[in-house]
Amino acid sequence: MQAGVEQWPLPQQPFSEATTALIQHLLHFKTALQAAAWTKVSTKDAVTANGGKLVVELADKSRVLLVIDDSTLYAVSNKCSHLGLPLVGKTPVFQAKIENKCVICPVHNTAFNLKTGEVEGEWCPKFPDLPFVGKLTPSKPLPTFESRYTASGEVEVFV
């Protein structure tokens, strides 16, 4: 149990294994919902100074790509939903482009809508038709996060 999270007592009557598992799952889900909060991850100035794209690391070590496009702030997973490669990384190979309100994966050229994460256009246009890794895998949206600026110019993400 996480510190600071209340434990719901279970009634004293016996439950089936399936019911007990469901109750435990719901308790875990309640804990996960309570854990979500607005988290400061950067500043508007830092994102702007980095060309409108900045990767930040969250407390759980996952990475979020912050994008400012036409003064609008977006936050998406920095891990492509196709192969899990970074959209923006440390090498010139991993430098996603921002075009038409989409982030474009530098590896396979799929365009993901910055607001919804949905695939726009062709799935994996730069990839051959290979099983497991190519176009034959079903398209998957890119995870997105609510984001906002504070009055002082900080960037917050709801995680």
Side-chain angles (χ1 to χ4, degrees):
M1 181 172 72
Q2 293 181 355
V5 176
E6 66 182 85
Q7 178 68 30
W8 288 351
L10 293 175
Q12 295 303 313
Q13 60 190 8
F15 290 106
S16 69
E17 285 185 39
T19 301
T20 301
L22 176 62
I23 291 170
Q24 293 302 325
H25 175 75
L26 292 173
L27 290 174
H28 175 76
F29 184 70
K30 175 186 176 275
T31 301
L33 286 178
Q34 286 180 334
W38 286 104
T39 305
K40 179 190 175 216
V41 294
S42 188
T43 64
K44 183 177 182 179
D45 289 342
V47 179
T48 302
N50 204 49
K53 294 185 294 191
L54 182 67
V55 178
V56 295
E57 188 172 289
L58 303 177
D60 67 358
K61 303 296 182 200
S62 63
R63 296 178 191 273
V64 172
L65 173 61
L66 303 174
V67 175
I68 298 176
D69 187 41
D70 291 332
S71 301
T72 303
L73 175 67
Y74 301 97
V76 298
S77 172
N78 192 47
K79 190 189 266 189
C80 177
S81 62
H82 181 231
L83 296 177
L85 298 171
L87 295 171
V88 173
K90 295 178 182 178
T91 68
V93 173
F94 295 110
Q95 295 302 315
K97 293 179 185 168
I98 307 301
E99 295 177 2
N100 302 319
K101 307 281 186 235
C102 291
V103 58
I104 300 171
C105 178
V107 176
H108 57 74
N109 247 21
T110 296
F112 298 97
N113 183 291
L114 284 165
K115 184 174 182 177
T116 66
E118 293 297 321
V119 173
E120 294 203 358
E122 186 181 353
W123 172 247
C124 299
K126 216 166 120 179
F127 236 71
D129 290 325
L130 299 173
F132 308 112
V133 296
K135 293 181 186 181
L136 298 180
T137 60
S139 68
K140 296 176 260 182
L142 187 67
T144 60
F145 304 90
E146 289 183 67
S147 57
R148 68 182 183 189
Y149 301 119
T150 65
S152 62
E154 294 177 337
V155 172
E156 294 182 331
V157 176
F158 194 73
V159 290

